[in-house]
Amino acid sequence: MNHDMHRKGLVASVAAVSLLVGIIAGFFAAHRMMGDMFGMTTGKGGISGSLERAGEMRDMEQMDMKAMAPAGAKSMEGMEGMPAAPSGAVVVPAVMRQLIGVRSAQAARATLEQEIRTVGTVGYDERGFTQVTLKISGWVREVFVNSIGRPVRKGEPLFTLYSPDLLITQDEYLLALKTQAQLTASPLAEAKANAGALVASARERLRLWDLTEEQIIALERRGKAEPSLTVYAPASGIVLKREAVPGKYVEPGTALYEVADLSRVWISADIYESEVKAVTLNQQASVTLAAYPGETFPGTVAYIYPTLNAEARTVRVRLELPNPGLKLKPGMFGNVRLQTEVVKTLVVPKEAVLETGLRQLVFMDRGQGRYEPASVKLGRRSQDDVEVLEGLKEGDQIVTSANFLLDAESKLASASSMQAMMGRIGMADWQMRGAYEGKMEGMDMGSMKGMEGMSGMPGMASGSAKAITETRKVAGYVLTFTTIPETPKAGDVLLRLNVIDQAGKPVTNAQVFFVYTMPMPGMTDSKATARHTKEGLYEGTVLFGMGGTWVVTVNVTIPGRPSIVEKFQFSVAGGGM
């Protein structure tokens, strides 16, 4: 019996020890779970496992959460526990920076090459343009050059003309020559001088009527007037106009032919008023035409017109190009590229600059989430960068995205936009603790106290976006726009555009780029160039900085066709916390 009692006592002791161990383990497990959730609580109480966590909690409680309310007029600068910032500066916590997609880059010295693109029209060189006109009346007899577009050489016969006036003048000239010969032996010097004057006068009249020296000599040798005069081409070139028809009566001043030398051509192009300073005489240019894909024609700027088109605010420039093989036809359209002088200077990305109307601003990244506005003076611009003349130095860290939100927070454009957004996010409920940012992923915000308002925020509801697939028929082409992933989320997204022509064949020689932005005041455009991958499919990667409504403008340029511009608007889901 004693043995049975001993066994029962041992079992009871083991059970008690096991119960005690379970209680202790449960206590520590609960304590650990509460510690993980510590950064998301809104109350001042809570279990504190260590003096360090208790101290962190007291630091966060010192923040003036009333200053973060949407209706408040105070900025984050007034929050206790935040670093002091100078006037106009803004301090953004790490979670907020990740949410709005703040990115920075250095101002650096780089090669800046400004490229001016425009469209020009091919024309003939006016200095090589010739008209064939008559100075006497008569009738066209025989025509040798009888078609437009035919090349002619200088001195080549064009047509013959019968003119009574010309016939009479030839007879007068022959008579003057005969009289002069008879008076050669005359002792009267005055008579001989008068005879010579008559010969010179008649000869000059024939020359002014466009008889060549050879024709006059032939007339003297023949001694008889020629009823028909042969008219020769005064210059080499291409016949642009022909009015000479057999039997046609013509009067003095009638233009019977127009001939242009097309060995060199002019291209007239219009540039914007803001680009005039970058264009100089003898500047190199290149021209591409839809008729000759892949071929570039070099030229130079020969003249800058002194007048401005007041309606279009453009200035016309004239380019001169050699025309080997007469490939460039008057009337053709060409894409003109003007290369300005290449300089090495201080540049920043175009996206970093905010145009306020009176001045240009950039936001300088001072580290630890602090940003300060700085006024800059800008110079030349390229496709992606802009020159900084004053306000920055090499190595300065500047904001390149989401700077419009920083501008709103610093009260330079809209004093309340940033505060309203932060109030909706509910920073007072977040207790933004950088040490716990990584533990917030995957948490059900709608079920947590103080986080209910976040579910309605643009970009916070990951289920608000839908799969993007849209097909449109524009200008005879079928455009199919899709994204990867099909339901776009904040972050890198692959945009795809499939282009099919009227015959149902893929278009493989187009130039495609995407311009994307959010339809919000102050939002700057971003650009991504698409590349052709296969069978009319063009792909380009973009960065959606936050969830919400985005507008993507697709630009498609097909050689020889007008550009196609289409806008696609869709929702982007938030990328998660």
Side-chain angles (χ1 to χ4, degrees), residues 476-478 498-509 535-536 558:
Y477 292 88
V478 178
N498 194 35
V499 185
I500 304 297
D501 63 10
Q502 297 176 348
K505 297 181 179 180
V507 178
T508 61
N509 62 339
E535 298 180 353
I558 301 173

Side-chain angles (χ1 to χ4, degrees), residues 36 87 102 110 112 119 137 148 152 194 213 227 244 294 343 369 468 489 495 531 539 566:
D36 290 344
S87 176
V102 178
L112 184 69
V119 176
S137 60
I148 295 175
V152 295
N194 289 338
E213 193 68 25
V343 295
I468 306 302
K489 298 177 63 177
L495 302 184
R531 61 182 181 87
E539 297 181 345
E566 283 293 307

Side-chain angles (χ1 to χ4, degrees), residues 111 130 187 201 472:
T111 299
T130 306
S201 174
R472 298 181 185 178

